[in-house]
Amino acid sequence: MKTPHPSPRAPERPTESGESTRPVRNELKPSAPAVTRQQQAANLAQAAPLRGPYVEQGTYPSPADVRAICAMQDLAVRNYAVTQSYSDLSNAVGQLLGTENANWSTFATWASKQAGVSIRGEDMPKFFTDVLKGLDGVTRPLSKVDDLLRKLGLPALPLADIGSAGNDALKNVSLVISEGNTRVFEEVGQELSRFVTTFQGDTQYDAAKVAQYLSEFPADKPVLEEAFGHYAQALFETDPNKKAELMLLANNKVGQHEQRRLQPQIEQALNAPMKETFHGILMQAIEANINALLFPANLAGKAALKSGVVDAALRPVVETMAGAFRRFATEHMMKLAVPGSALKLGNELPPPPGMESTLFPPHLRSIENPELRKLLAAFDKSPDSLKGTGAEDWSRLDQRMNYIIDLFRSRQSDPALFDPPFGLRGARWPPPGGTGEPGRSTSPPEFHHPGDATFSGFNRY
């Protein structure tokens, strides 16, 4: 039996020293250096495409959600929804643009919350009645009316009727404020939502994309279009001074658009026909008392109504009540509660805490942007100062803008403005049955008072 030969192999080549180059049996070959988890993550990040900030879907209202909220019929509930939506949009925009500068929706959150106080008329009728009790111009002529009513066999006119008249007048003001609050939200809220959806995830300025985005703005909203163009520029601005100025420019232009849209509602609220309202309520109360009397006891009262005696006696009361309510309503409307302070719009704007000498945050103490300088020059009566900011007549657009641009400039870096208005962070969007999307229910989401554990119809997160 033949012994098998081993398989042939290449002869060993000697080195210059005559030693074999074949590795020693079982000798381990050198391995690659170990890669740490941090290095692996870095390698993956380099291999993956760059991605900008992304806002989680469902954490801010869509344009359809905005329209559904505007369709709500309950004014108070709708205001809660608008205010919460502004807060959610503020945070969504802040995730893209940063929270070192407040955006317009950040300020709108608190303005909408303040509007809700007027819309709900919280304790206003009683407060107004208490104010009237202390007005000699009301009590003296009212006593004369009571004397006349007693002669006619009628009960004295109770203060409850005056409170009812004040309540009725306040409802008219509330309706106007609610209409303005909703109109602005419907316009600007949809654009804020569209801005987030359009630019989230972007890493660099794309002029063609921005132009396409801006082309979708309605032709009758050029200032609003310009404002969102500035927000798009601010997205990728790395210089903190330039970015702060772009944000202020955008905020001011949205504010300018908003205030022009609100002009009819503000004039209507402040110049409402108070005399007619008060006169109508009081005359109805007196006529009801006269008609409740049996014949012939009601003849004297009916004759007094027909002759104008009752109307003449009421006129001084109505005049004083209307004047008092106008001052009262104006004072009530012209205030703004923001985190840490309550601002009276008729007074000069106080400097933010810690900025008593500088007035404005570091990146806005001097303005270099030419377009922003031009806009400030058009509205700011006291450049680089808070002097003269108080608005004597809030129905004047120029006086409102004079206050607002300094409010925006002085408070733009206040992080407290991003606080949730009702102590809870947002609602889950879209709410069940309230998206307004084709094929789904368009019934608006149901909001309850923030004192409830939840806003019914929304999942808290």
Side-chain angles (χ1 to χ4, degrees):
M1 185 174 179
K2 293 183 179 180
T3 304
H5 293 285
S7 58
R9 60 184 180 183
E12 298 176 7
R13 289 188 301 173
T15 63
E16 292 181 358
S17 63
E19 297 176 352
S20 173
T21 60
R22 185 166 58 89
V24 178
R25 186 177 180 179
N26 295 331
E27 179 181 351
L28 294 175
K29 295 182 179 180
S31 60
V35 179
T36 65
R37 289 185 179 180
Q38 291 84 352
Q39 289 173 324
Q40 289 177 338
N43 292 338
L44 288 173
Q46 290 178 353
L50 293 175
R51 189 181 189 185
Y54 186 81
V55 184
E56 182 186 353
Q57 186 177 6
T59 58
Y60 64 97
S62 68
D65 295 322
V66 171
R67 292 191 295 272
I69 288 172
C70 292
M72 288 178 168
Q73 297 303 306
D74 187 310
L75 304 189
V77 173
R78 184 172 68 195
N79 172 259
Y80 281 126
V82 169
T83 303
Q84 185 63 58
S85 297
Y86 272 139
S87 178
D88 293 338
L89 287 165
S90 167
N91 287 312
V93 173
Q95 289 182 58
L96 268 60
L97 288 165
T99 55
E100 66 275 11
N101 293 291
N103 56 73
W104 179 86
S105 193
T106 317
F107 289 100
T109 300
W110 304 102
S112 179
K113 185 179 181 181
Q114 184 67 48
V117 176
S118 297
I119 291 168
R120 294 186 297 275
E122 296 171 344
D123 297 326
M124 294 291 284
K126 180 181 182 303
F127 184 70
F128 179 57
T129 301
D130 291 343
V131 169
L132 290 177
K133 286 180 181 178
L135 288 179
D136 187 57
V138 170
T139 55
R140 282 188 296 102
L142 186 59
S143 66
K144 294 181 179 179
V145 173
D146 291 340
D147 290 341
L148 172 63
L149 295 179
R150 279 192 292 271
K151 291 178 182 178
L152 298 175
L154 300 173
L157 196 63
L159 280 174
D161 288 337
I162 295 179
S164 175
N167 187 36
D168 196 65
L170 186 65
K171 284 181 180 178
N172 292 337
V173 172
S174 297
L175 284 170
V176 173
I177 293 174
S178 180
E179 179 187 346
N181 182 240
T182 305
R183 173 179 292 188
V184 170
F185 174 66
E186 186 170 21
E187 289 186 352
V188 185
Q190 292 188 77
E191 296 303 342
L192 288 164
S193 180
R194 195 167 68 89
F195 178 85
V196 175
T197 303
T198 300
F199 295 107
Q200 61 181 344
D202 286 6
T203 58
Q204 60 183 1
Y205 187 85
D206 185 334
K209 181 176 182 178
V210 172
Q212 175 59 39
Y213 161 75
L214 295 177
S215 70
E216 297 175 18
F217 276 77
D220 64 339
K221 299 178 178 63
V223 176
L224 195 62
E225 177 185 337
E226 292 173 9
F228 279 85
H230 298 313
Y231 281 139
Q233 289 177 287
L235 269 173
F236 309 105
E237 179 56 66
T238 57
D239 183 295
N241 292 314
K242 292 179 179 179
K243 183 168 186 173
E245 291 186 7
L246 283 170
M247 289 294 294
L248 181 58
L249 180 58
N251 291 342
N252 281 337
K253 286 194 174 183
V254 180
Q256 184 181 358
H257 169 85
E258 168 210 21
Q259 292 303 318
R260 284 176 174 167
R261 285 297 199 197
L262 287 175
Q263 186 64 27
Q265 283 73 35
I266 292 173
E267 288 182 350
Q268 187 177 348
L270 291 177
N271 300 310
M274 301 300 178
K275 292 181 184 179
E276 291 82 349
T277 299
F278 285 117
H279 183 270
I281 291 288
L282 297 181
M283 284 296 288
Q284 286 176 16
I286 294 173
E287 288 177 5
N289 289 335
I290 291 174
N291 292 331
L293 296 176
L294 297 177
F295 179 84
N298 61 6
L299 290 178
K302 288 185 176 182
L305 284 175
K306 189 174 182 180
S307 67
V309 172
V310 174
D311 185 69
L314 276 180
R315 193 172 298 120
V317 179
V318 169
E319 291 275 355
T320 306
M321 287 172 59
F325 184 84
R326 192 181 306 279
R327 293 190 299 273
F328 175 73
T330 301
E331 173 71 14
H332 182 62
M333 288 177 62
M334 291 178 58
K335 62 184 179 182
L336 175 64
V338 295
S341 61
L343 305 174
K344 290 191 175 183
L345 311 185
N347 298 342
E348 287 189 354
L349 183 68
M355 297 186 193
E356 289 77 7
S357 60
T358 59
L359 305 181
F360 306 110
H363 299 309
L364 293 174
R365 286 173 190 164
S366 62
I367 303 299
E368 303 298 330
N369 184 299
E371 191 171 358
L372 178 56
R373 290 172 64 91
K374 182 178 179 181
L375 187 147
L376 293 177
F379 292 107
D380 195 347
K381 296 179 180 178
S382 53
D384 299 323
S385 169
L386 300 180
K387 297 290 185 182
T389 47
E392 295 180 1
D393 184 353
W394 197 245
S395 68
R396 292 274 303 274
L397 175 63
D398 60 332
Q399 292 191 25
R400 295 200 307 276
M401 285 302 299
N402 178 56
Y403 189 96
I404 289 169
I405 58 175
D406 277 327
L407 171 68
F408 286 177
R409 184 180 175 185
S410 62
R411 267 75 178 171
Q412 185 167 293
S413 67
D414 184 358
L417 292 175
F418 283 93
D419 289 349
F422 304 125
L424 297 171
R425 181 64 73 189
R428 178 60 65 175
W429 301 95
T435 63
E437 295 173 356
R440 299 185 64 177
S441 169
T442 56
S443 60
E446 180 186 358
F447 275 81
H448 285 177
H449 190 283
D452 296 344
T454 63
F455 288 151
S456 177
F458 285 75
N459 300 318
R460 307 305 303 183
Y461 61 87

